[in-house]
Amino acid sequence: MQQQRPAPRLKSAMEQLGAWVLDQPEPTALEGQCCDRLRPNQIQRELLESLKRSGLDGSSLVDWRWDARQGHAKGWLWQAGTLQRFRWWRQSGQLTLHEQLNCTTTAPLQALR
């Protein structure tokens, strides 16, 4: 059986396609909520337990990210009208909070017309 060679135009198109594929940039690293493996369920459970032990059980996680190399989670926490930046070290259980925004209401909210 004789092997057929691709038509010249097809061969040229295939070479251009190969060059295009090799020329594409590498995908960027996944961060934040882009990928659940950056926020494993076991880490989240331990983080929530640590918040509860720290007296922050009425708070809610706004966003957080796990850094496996550093062994800590960091993100944003909402509690009683205050948005706080936090960092939590899994090994020691140490939790640091930095208040970023304090929201209070002095009058009922009204819709703008």
Side-chain angles (χ1 to χ4, degrees):
M1 194 175 248
Q2 189 176 20
Q3 192 175 20
Q4 293 183 353
R5 293 166 60 187
R9 285 186 181 173
L10 180 60
K11 183 178 178 185
S12 174
M14 289 172 54
E15 288 172 351
Q16 288 176 357
L17 179 63
W20 178 81
V21 169
L22 294 174
D23 191 39
Q24 295 304 302
E26 290 186 32
T28 59
L30 297 174
E31 294 183 5
Q33 294 182 348
C34 298
C35 182
D36 280 340
R37 68 187 163 91
L38 296 177
R39 296 185 310 165
N41 288 330
Q42 180 62 31
I43 302 296
Q44 183 174 9
R45 284 192 293 273
E46 291 176 29
L47 174 57
L48 291 173
E49 289 171 10
S50 181
L51 291 173
K52 191 174 186 176
R53 283 192 305 273
S54 299
L56 300 169
D57 53 340
S59 61
S60 58
L61 292 172
V62 176
D63 182 36
W64 67 281
R65 180 182 311 166
W66 171 247
D67 185 336
R69 284 180 275 170
Q70 299 290 325
H72 72 262
K74 63 181 179 179
W76 299 93
L77 183 69
W78 178 261
Q79 181 187 28
T82 304
L83 183 66
Q84 300 176 31
R85 190 173 40 134
F86 76 89
R87 185 164 290 176
W88 170 74
W89 286 264
R90 184 181 190 192
Q91 193 74 0
S92 65
Q94 179 185 359
L95 177 70
T96 59
L97 298 171
H98 302 281
E99 187 174 300
Q100 298 294 309
L101 179 66
N102 193 355
C103 302
T104 58
T105 56
T106 56
L109 297 175
Q110 296 179 346
L112 298 174
R113 297 177 205 212

